[in-house]
Every structure is written in structure tokens, then in C-alpha cells.
Amino acid sequence: MAALDPSVTVAVVGAGAMGQGIAQVAAQAGHPVLLVDTRPGAAEAAVGSIAKALTALVEKGRRTAAERDATVGRLRAVAGLSDLAAAGLVVEAIVEDPDVKRRLFAELEGIVGPDAILATNTSSLSVTAIGAGVRRPERLAGLHFFNPAPLMALVEIVSGLATDAAVLDTLFDTAKAWGKSPVRCRSTPGFIVNRVARPFYAEGLRLVQEQAADPATIDAVVREAGGFRMGPFELMDLIGHDVNFAVTRSVHAAYFGDPRFQPSLIQQELVEAGRLGRKTGRGFYDHGPGAAKPTPRTAEPAGKPDRVLVQGDLGPAASLVGLLREAGIAVEETAGPDVLLVDGVTLALTDGRTATARAADDGIAPLVLFDLALDYAKATRVALAPADGTPPEALAAAAGLFQALGKAVSVIDDTPGLVVMRTVAMLASEAADAAMQGVASAADIDIAMTKGVNYPLGPLAWADRIGLPHVLGVLDALARTYGEDRYRASALLRRRIAATRIPQNSPIPSPPRGEGQGEGVAWRGSTSSGYSNTITGSTPCIPLTPTLSPGGRGGKEPTP
């Protein structure tokens, strides 16, 4: 199915920030656009606002005056729904109330032509439930843009239970023709982004609740070590705590109280206090005029070590060996328990246990754990957590090692999984569950998280890079420490790891007579999802990223 021809009229119902953005995107793509709003003068004001935004782009050299004039010339504010009869696509961008949306689409059905596509821009409401209010739900789908629509690349194409596959194909191709990066998903709570992203906020909030570190330090570690553009607290302040908290509560309720989506009491208190973030001047940070920028906790400079002993394989932190040598530090490598030894202090990448528990379990003291980094060469900050009782001079030796590599060091309280590692592990587990449940394909999930919320790497690709056994170990350690179902690992992670232990080309004995349908020998050559079972490396793993969700649907077609 091809994209809608630019001659097809697009109607946008709702002239707020999102509706205005969608109207601009469609008009820039060459479509005649009708804009309507129940508020008197709102549609006309939106057209004027779009013209002003395009003029600013002309002044910056990003658009020509002719392009601006052509786009504005394709926009028309109309008085009511009855003026939308010519539309071939109607996009609803009104209040997030399912009853209001159902009434709107029921009215639109009697106005637009029989081949017109109806689309809702809802961010989390059930497309199936909205479609249940119309006579022909097969032509209704979700077309979820991200704010600001003209700038954000991602569009979630959401299938309701009755949505026709041809409608989804048309919307996908149309979004692509509009210069967007569309992904397909089923109508489940939160779709892709608003579901998979919950741990990004939740783990930061949990760390603050446990006094592991302050918001400014966590944000700095997430940015400077994790490679995210913003930390969770500055992002929540930008989004607005009322909005972010409402989405979390909505997803939590929609999943019948699943503890993975449990809202935070800290964020609830901010909402109750009216500290909603930038829009009210105060959230986790003070955004008032002249407010000082918060500074992260950073360790004092310490001495550079002369030599380091590397025992075993550092796994995701293996690049540290080369960085140490480049810094002029003598490095000796031997077999051992995957740690660094410097001046009598053991340093290890977090495996999900607290440093104190790991020191007790493994009989190591003094022990300092360090956090995951997206790229240790480019990271400008690393978080450390010492085991209880670690002497100050031992912590200084650990800090000095990373400072010698040009990294700022933030020492946090001994917390399981530290900051980046636990956040990424939880994101990967949630993404794996979404893929396993057929919400979307693994590829589309990673696209959604990089294009929709600017993650530096898709969570499934990141899990593959870390190594699924390590990710699973972190999740299981978190679950043991907290005793909460919140930290249960996705069954897909366990399945991918278990698949590597299947013997290759090994005969499977036939069942006894009467218990099977035939005799002879079956041969195991691939997994049920179509992967080759080739095992390579010391920690082999069938990756998450290349596959569609089990069954191969990947959210492309509605599931009955």
C-alpha cells in the first residue's frame, strides 16, 4: 500500500501544541490541511503560530521564504467538523479522554467519505477501545506523534484489535513520506515508548528515595557515563511532573498494578506541592530567574596509580585495559575473577549486588564497584560505590585510577546495580518483554527508543553489547536484594541464554512408543524463532536485536 498522495486533504482536530505540530508536518509534506478546534479562534491562532515558527526558520536559513509561503498557503482553519467532508485522513489530537474521543469519531464517521482513514494521536489510551465506538473500526488506528511533532522523528503506528492491515500500511508509508521514522505496534498500555521508558524514571526515583545520591549527581552520571542526552530528573522537570506522573499511574493501572510500573511517592509529593518542573519554576530543580545550576557530587583529585593488575575478563568494561595503557599506567593481565587490582584495592564492574554483599560473598576487601558506561573512552564521569567499611584511602585509590583516565568520579552510596547499569538492565528487560508479547518487533522497539526519546542506543542492542548473561545477573541480583517482583527478568532473556546451551546437531531420542507420533531421530539445528544456534565466544548468546517478536508478528498486524 502506497502513502497518501499529497493531493489528499488531511484534517487535524484539535489546535493545541500537538495538533498544530501535526498540521505543520502534513502541510510541509504538500497536503492541503484543515484545522479545527472547539475553542473560538484557536484554529486561526494555530495557523498564525505555524507561520511565525516557519518565519523563524527562514531567518535562520533553514527554510526559504517560498517554502514557508507554500506551507502556510496549504493550511486553512475551519469552523466545525462539518467542514471536514473532503478529508482523506483525519487526525484527532484532543483531550486524553476515551469517551470524548469515541464521540468525536462517531460524529466524523457521518461526515467524511467511506474511504477516509481515522487516526488518533493518543499517547497511551486503547486504540481498540476508541475504535469500539465507531461503526467501522477497521479504518481507525493510532498515529502517535511525539512533541514537538515537526522536530521529533518517531511516529508510532498503533493497531487496534479491528484495524485493517491496509490502513496500517498506508499510515506507515505516509509517515515515512512525511520524513518521519514510523514503527508499528499493537494497542497495549503505553504502546512502545511510554511503556519501555518507565524504568528510566523509576530507577532514578528509587535511587533518590534510598538516598544513594542526589538528583544532580544521578543526572550527571546518566548523561556523562550513560550517554543519555538528559538525566531522569531534568527530563521529568522538562516534561512536567503532572504529565509524567499521570502516564506512570495510567500504565500501572492498565497493567492491573504490575509492580514494574509502580509510581513514586516522591514524584506524587512534588505534584501535590505544585512543583511540576520548568512550567511552574520548581521541580527537582529550581528553574526560577537567576537560580544556580545544581552541581553533581564529584570526588576530590587523588593520585595516579603506577600499575594495575587486571584479572580475568572485564566484559563490558574491557576497553579500560587499553585506556589505562594509553594513560601511561603499567598493566599486567592474568587469569582471575574479572577484577582490577590497584594499590591493594579491588575494583569490579557492578554485577547487580551491592559492594558490601559482594565483598562478603567473595571474601574481598577492600572492594569498590564501578558503574557501566556506554563508551568508557568517551565517558567523562564514572560512578563508584565502596563496600561498607572501605577505608578512605582505598576509595581514593579507586577514584585516582579513573581520574587518571580523565574521568570525573561521583561516589554514591552502596546501592545494587549502581546507576547506569541498573537503569539499562531494567530498560532492556522491559523492552524484551514487549518484544516477547508481540507489542512490536525488537528492531522497532530500539528505533522507537532512539528516535522517540533520544536514547544513545536501543535497550535491546545495548543488552546484546553488555552480554545477556551479565544483564540477567544484574536483574536477578536486584530481585534478590529487594525481594520485589518489580525486578523480575524477562523470560525472553532467559530463553535466549538457555538457547546457547542446546547441543548442536545432537540427536533427540524418540519418545517411547505410544507417546509420540513417529520413530527415528529428530535433529536440532535452529531455535523455534529461526535463529542459528551457532555458539561463539566465552559467553555466547543468541542476540535480542535481529529478531521479530516470537511468532514473527512484531506488532505489524492486529492479533485477534
Side-chain angles (χ1 to χ4, degrees):
M1 181 67 67
L4 292 174
D5 190 272
S7 64
V8 173
T9 298
V10 174
V12 179
V13 182
M18 186 57 75
Q20 178 179 307
I22 296 169
Q24 180 179 332
V25 169
Q28 286 178 170
H31 292 269
V33 177
L34 304 175
L35 191 58
V36 64
D37 196 288
T38 56
R39 297 166 298 161
E44 290 81 359
V47 172
S49 181
I50 293 171
K52 185 177 179 181
L54 292 173
T55 296
L57 293 176
V58 172
E59 293 171 350
K60 294 177 181 178
R62 298 178 184 175
R63 289 284 189 280
T64 67
E67 289 172 332
R68 174 201 58 197
D69 294 344
T71 298
V72 174
R74 288 188 283 267
L75 293 162
R76 182 161 68 94
V78 297
L81 296 182
S82 60
D83 296 313
L84 306 183
L89 167 64
V90 182
V91 184
E92 163 274 311
I94 62 173
V95 62
E96 284 286 89
D97 184 314
D99 292 331
V100 175
K101 293 179 188 289
R102 277 192 289 265
R103 287 196 296 270
L104 169 65
F105 283 118
E107 186 174 354
L108 284 169
E109 259 196 321
I111 296 171
V112 299
D115 296 327
I117 294 174
L118 305 178
T120 172
N121 185 60
T122 182
S123 60
S124 58
L125 296 177
S126 168
V127 173
T128 296
I130 294 171
V134 300
R135 294 189 304 274
R136 292 183 53 209
E138 66 273 10
R139 65 167 167 169
L140 187 144
L143 189 65
H144 180 213
F145 288 80
F146 287 74
N147 196 28
L151 299 180
M152 298 299 290
L154 184 69
V155 178
E156 291 178 322
I157 310 298
V158 188
S159 61
L161 195 62
T163 308
D164 191 285
V167 168
L168 298 170
D169 288 344
T170 297
L171 289 176
F172 184 94
D173 291 342
T174 298
K176 201 167 184 179
W178 290 0
K180 299 302 181 182
S181 297
V183 293
R184 303 174 188 264
C185 61
R186 289 196 297 114
S187 180
T188 53
F191 309 145
I192 301 174
V193 172
N194 279 328
R195 170 185 175 166
V196 175
R198 293 343 300 158
F200 183 74
Y201 313 107
E203 293 311 305
L205 288 163
R206 171 64 74 93
L207 289 167
V208 166
Q209 182 175 315
E210 296 175 356
Q211 303 183 75
D214 60 282
T217 299
I218 294 171
D219 278 348
V221 170
V222 168
R223 285 195 318 271
E224 298 175 39
F228 292 87
R229 291 191 183 181
M230 300 181 77
F233 300 100
E234 54 193 347
L235 182 53
M236 285 185 281
D237 269 13
L238 175 63
I239 294 169
H241 291 284
D242 52 340
V243 174
N244 188 262
F245 184 63
V247 172
T248 300
R249 289 188 64 182
S250 172
V251 173
H252 182 247
Y255 279 103
F256 306 108
D258 190 321
R260 288 183 302 178
F261 308 112
Q262 183 176 4
S264 166
L265 292 173
I266 291 177
Q267 191 173 38
Q268 176 177 268
E269 188 174 34
L270 284 178
V271 173
E272 291 173 344
R275 296 186 175 186
L276 307 182
R278 290 191 185 184
K279 59 187 172 186
T280 61
R282 187 69 183 266
F284 281 105
Y285 302 118
D286 184 353
H287 300 280
K293 185 177 181 180
T295 57
R297 189 184 308 163
T298 304
E300 293 294 324
K304 175 182 176 180
D306 294 324
R307 62 182 59 253
V308 173
L309 175 63
V310 178
Q311 292 187 335
D313 182 1
L314 299 183
S319 62
L320 287 174
V321 176
L323 296 176
L324 289 167
R325 289 194 170 108
E326 290 175 10
I329 299 171
V331 177
E332 180 184 353
E333 297 184 74
T334 67
D338 306 335
V339 298
L340 295 161
L341 296 175
V342 54
D343 295 337
V345 182
T346 301
L347 286 84
L349 176 66
T350 176
D351 64 1
R353 291 177 287 176
T354 63
T356 304
R358 187 166 174 177
D361 292 344
D362 300 348
I364 301 173
L367 174 66
V368 178
L369 299 183
F370 60 90
D371 203 357
L372 177 71
L374 174 68
D375 183 336
Y376 284 98
K378 296 179 180 178
T380 57
R381 183 177 297 271
V382 173
L384 303 182
D388 291 352
T390 297
E393 57 271 20
L395 180 57
L401 181 144
F402 283 98
Q403 289 167 347
L405 302 181
K407 320 298 181 190
V409 171
S410 288
V411 178
I412 67 172
D413 194 33
D414 186 18
T415 188
L418 278 75
V419 179
V420 179
M421 181 66 85
R422 73 186 278 168
T423 299
V424 171
M426 287 293 285
L427 289 169
S429 185
E430 194 56 51
D433 251 15
M436 182 178 68
Q437 294 165 11
V439 173
S441 71
D444 275 0
I445 290 169
D446 273 2
I447 290 170
M449 302 315 292
T450 53
K451 299 290 187 180
V453 278
N454 291 317
Y455 285 5
L457 196 64
L460 298 175
W462 208 338
D464 285 334
R465 177 189 287 191
I466 296 168
L468 299 194
H470 195 102
V471 173
L472 180 60
V474 169
L475 293 166
D476 284 348
L478 288 166
R480 287 192 303 271
T481 300
Y482 289 109
E484 298 177 24
D485 197 44
R486 166 193 181 112
Y487 293 104
R488 69 183 187 271
S490 170
L492 184 58
L493 290 173
R494 298 188 190 281
R495 173 179 158 190
R496 289 288 179 262
I497 294 168
T500 65
R501 300 196 298 270
I502 299 173
Q504 301 305 292
N505 299 325
S506 299
I508 302 176
S510 299
R513 289 182 181 274
E515 295 183 17
Q517 293 186 348
E519 299 183 53
V521 175
W523 291 83
R524 200 186 305 254
S526 63
T527 67
S528 60
S529 59
Y531 280 102
S532 167
N533 275 339
T534 303
I535 297 179
T536 58
S538 59
T539 55
C541 192
I542 293 177
L544 292 169
T545 43
T547 183
L548 293 175
S549 53
R553 261 194 324 272
K556 182 175 180 179
E557 299 176 0
T559 305

